Amino acid sequence: MYVLGIETSCDETAAAVVDSQKKIYANIVLSQLETHEVYGGVVPEIAAREHLTHIDKVVQAAMKESGLGFDDLAGVAATSGPGLIGGVMIGMMTGKAIAASRDLPFVAVNHLEGHTLSARLSDDVDFPFLLLLVSGGHTALVEVAGVGHYVTLGTTLDDALGEMFDKSGKIMGLPYPGGPEIEKISIETKDPDFALERFPLPRPMKGRKEMNFSFSGLKTAVKNHVDKLPEGPLSRQDVADLAYALQETVGGVLKERCVRALSFMKDKYGKPVPLVIAGGVAANKRLRSILKDLAGDSAAELVAPPLALCSDNGAMIAWAGIERLRYDTPFDFDAPARPRWPLDYLTAQKT
Ligand code: KG4
Ligand code: ZN
């Protein structure tokens, strides 16, 4: 079963062709990073125009690379929310138009479900599992019991993790987006212990029983440290040390919250479950390695999709379409584009 997946909910225009045997035939991602860089963040109106300009050729390129024609497809899946509404409408309407013209099923995919199920495309991970979703717009711990069976155990009370990294990067004078830049420069720290000593950072919500996160205090603490440094541009070593301290602190916070959620899952299911990480921040190798320590004890295993499937892409949307088409033949032609669409309210498939 071949499915075309389209993703346009933020600043990537993406299309992919995937089959039900988990083979990715094409996964084209056109990033708008350079367009938005000068503004220090994604400008929704500009993003929508860029999607409109490029969506046709991105879909064409994916189809060409796959070597398939539209008539070979079993369905078309497109992100229908949550996200920046202009972009969502463009990708969704493109998907609907292709499906309607070939009389194919159209699957309206929730972007977060795309991230949630991405590890089942890259790895053989069975339900149930615990999902740590960390991206520019979302931070959540989710109990995943089956397709559509999602319960959010914890979320962020303020900034998403990627958003906090991006804002902190800006404060440190790093280019946008700050997340990958912080990872890159943190390696340059000369004395990791001294970096942690120089730049102590709070551990928001430490020891609290709930599974929520709070990251805006960390961003403020970064700003306070920067304000205390000598005036003028920061030295590369200062930035490296601060980036290192921030990344380690975040690693500690994620680990503590995951241990709590994994213990909840172990009690509920009577055995340790896999920990799956997804979303753009899951591309961070240091955070992956910190969370890997949980495997074997708290978690059955750590499953982290390859970097190309962590950040926004069409393959995860095509795959979510396949997971849904396995149970049902959704013809979601009347599905609306949704700026908000919480995971907990999706149609649950029978398990
Ligand atoms: O999932 P994604 O591509 O887009 C959505 O937000 O849906 O995630 C983008 C976010 C940005 O905030 C970016 O800074 C962050 O993921 N990010 C990283 C890394 N790579 C991307 N954060 C930390 N370390 C990284 N290596
Ligand atoms: Zn995303």
Side-chain angles (χ1 to χ4, degrees):
M1 185 202 295
Y2 304 106
V3 169
L4 167 68
I6 297 174
E7 159 59 39
T8 52
S9 67
C10 193
D11 59 343
E12 269 95 21
T13 312
V17 179
V18 175
D19 78 3
S20 44
Q21 305 301 313
K22 307 188 175 189
K23 183 159 181 210
I24 300 173
Y25 289 81
N27 191 16
I28 310 277
V29 180
L30 183 73
S31 169
Q32 303 175 2
L33 210 71
E34 282 173 19
T35 314
H36 299 286
E37 205 173 7
V38 283
Y39 303 101
V42 179
V43 183
E45 180 59 30
I46 297 176
R49 284 187 221 175
E50 290 283 306
H51 287 307
L52 194 56
T53 308
H54 299 295
I55 187 72
D56 282 359
K57 61 173 189 271
V58 169
V59 169
Q60 253 174 14
M63 291 305 294
K64 189 166 176 218
E65 195 173 309
S66 74
L68 300 167
F70 287 123
D71 287 326
D72 297 317
L73 299 174
V76 180
T79 298
S80 301
L84 302 175
I85 199 70
V88 172
M89 282 197 281
I90 289 158
M92 190 186 73
M93 292 313 294
T94 305
K96 282 183 180 178
I98 295 169
S101 69
R102 303 287 162 147
D103 209 14
L104 292 168
F106 172 74
V107 192
V109 172
N110 178 298
H111 178 82
L112 305 176
E113 182 172 53
H115 279 303
T116 303
L117 300 175
S118 61
R120 283 168 55 83
L121 168 60
S122 60
D123 296 76
D124 290 323
V125 50
D126 285 331
F127 302 118
F129 59 81
L130 176 73
L131 168 76
L132 172 66
L133 174 61
V134 275
S135 72
H138 304 275
T139 307
L141 275 167
V142 185
E143 173 186 348
V144 181
V147 176
H149 292 261
Y150 312 127
V151 179
T152 301
L153 303 174
T155 182
T156 177
L157 303 178
D158 38 58
D159 288 355
L161 180 53
E163 185 184 0
M164 185 281 286
F165 271 134
D166 295 342
K167 288 178 177 168
S168 299
K170 201 170 176 176
I171 294 167
M172 293 183 224
L174 292 170
Y176 174 83
E181 296 294 329
I182 285 173
E183 176 175 16
K184 238 185 277 165
I185 199 161
S186 68
I187 295 162
E188 293 182 27
T189 187
K190 293 209 172 78
D191 184 344
D193 290 337
F194 180 57
L196 295 177
E197 228 173 83
R198 281 184 82 189
F199 297 121
L201 292 165
R203 287 269 202 101
M205 326 262 299
K206 191 173 180 202
R208 294 260 285 267
K209 284 216 165 56
E210 57 190 287
M211 289 177 246
N212 287 325
F213 300 89
S214 165
F215 290 114
S216 73
L218 264 177
K219 173 193 66 193
T220 311
V222 166
K223 181 163 185 324
N224 290 341
H225 281 308
V226 169
D227 287 347
K228 278 187 213 137
L229 289 167
E231 256 185 71
L234 305 187
S235 77
R236 204 162 168 87
Q237 201 51 52
D238 287 343
V239 179
D241 285 356
L242 189 50
Y244 177 83
L246 181 61
Q247 194 173 259
E248 292 303 302
T249 306
V250 166
V253 170
L254 294 182
K255 196 167 169 179
E256 198 224 1
R257 297 285 125 171
C258 285
V259 166
R260 203 172 287 279
L262 284 165
S263 138
F264 165 85
M265 295 288 282
K266 192 172 170 185
D267 287 349
K268 180 158 178 180
Y269 293 97
K271 58 173 187 201
V273 300
L275 170 63
V276 167
I277 55 172
V281 182
N284 186 296
K285 293 194 201 69
R286 175 63 187 144
L287 296 178
R288 280 175 183 238
S289 104
I290 290 174
L291 292 171
K292 207 162 186 122
D293 288 350
L294 298 174
D297 185 15
S298 306
E301 57 178 325
L302 174 77
V303 186
L307 305 190
L309 293 182
C310 278
S311 48
D312 291 349
N313 65 88
M316 70 180 189
I317 303 304
W319 178 254
I322 289 170
E323 294 256 31
R324 293 228 160 237
L325 282 164
R326 276 198 187 134
Y327 291 96
D328 202 355
T329 311
F331 279 84
D332 296 336
F333 285 99
D334 54 356
R338 304 180 212 225
R340 289 177 181 280
W341 192 6
L343 262 184
D344 299 43
Y345 299 106
L346 300 192
T347 323
Q349 305 287 0
K350 287 194 186 71
T351 44

